Amino acid sequence: QVQLVESGGGLVQPGGSLRLSCTVSGSTIFSIIAMGWYRQAPGKERELVAVATSGGSTNYGDSVKGRFTISRDYAKTTMYLLMNRLKPEDTAVYYCNLRYYSDARNHWDAWGQGTVVTVSS
């Protein structure tokens, strides 16, 4: 069983910053393929925010490039999303995602419960 727990969401004014955290736990992770953040705004589909692969590459959604940074603490199996220069359109529920192998052949996706980010004055 793999569990992801997000934290760090809240209310912030436009132009402000927040850092989200996602802690991963579980005994069935053979190896990690990628860790990432997604978001879903009211009435919209879930979209990619940022993803980091085990090979070291990162990819960002066009709307957050240059403002958001994904990072990972390998020792603590924790992932972070630093969000700067926040805009009202960044308001959404943010989910962390883990794509991993449970053994040599089978891969899975695990999701956190989501944390709400509201950008408003």
Side-chain angles (χ1 to χ4, degrees):
Q1 190 80 6
V2 175
Q3 291 186 327
L4 281 64
V5 179
E6 302 107 332
S7 61
L11 173 64
V12 63
Q13 292 186 341
S17 299
L18 277 177
R19 189 180 79 158
L20 305 182
S21 301
C22 175
T23 301
V24 179
S25 62
S27 59
T28 60
I29 299 173
F30 178 69
S31 65
I32 292 174
I33 301 169
M35 299 180 73
W37 291 93
Y38 293 75
R39 69 185 182 186
Q40 187 166 18
K44 295 188 177 181
E45 294 185 354
R46 189 173 296 189
E47 64 174 358
L48 170 72
V49 176
V51 62
T53 71
S54 60
S57 64
T58 57
N59 190 35
Y60 294 90
D62 289 340
S63 62
V64 307
K65 285 180 181 177
R67 300 188 298 123
F68 290 12
T69 303
I70 187 171
S71 61
R72 180 182 165 189
D73 182 328
Y74 285 83
K76 298 180 179 179
T77 321
T78 301
M79 177 175 58
Y80 304 97
L81 183 69
L82 176 60
M83 306 184 292
N84 292 322
R85 304 198 305 277
L86 282 160
K87 305 175 181 179
E89 51 264 42
D90 294 317
T91 296
V93 180
Y94 284 71
Y95 299 91
C96 65
N97 166 264
L98 174 71
R99 178 159 291 183
Y100 66 99
Y101 281 101
S102 58
D103 52 41
R105 294 195 305 173
N106 298 298
H107 61 85
W108 308 88
D109 276 304
W111 294 90
Q113 81 286 354
T115 186
V116 178
V117 172
T118 303
V119 184
S120 175
S121 56

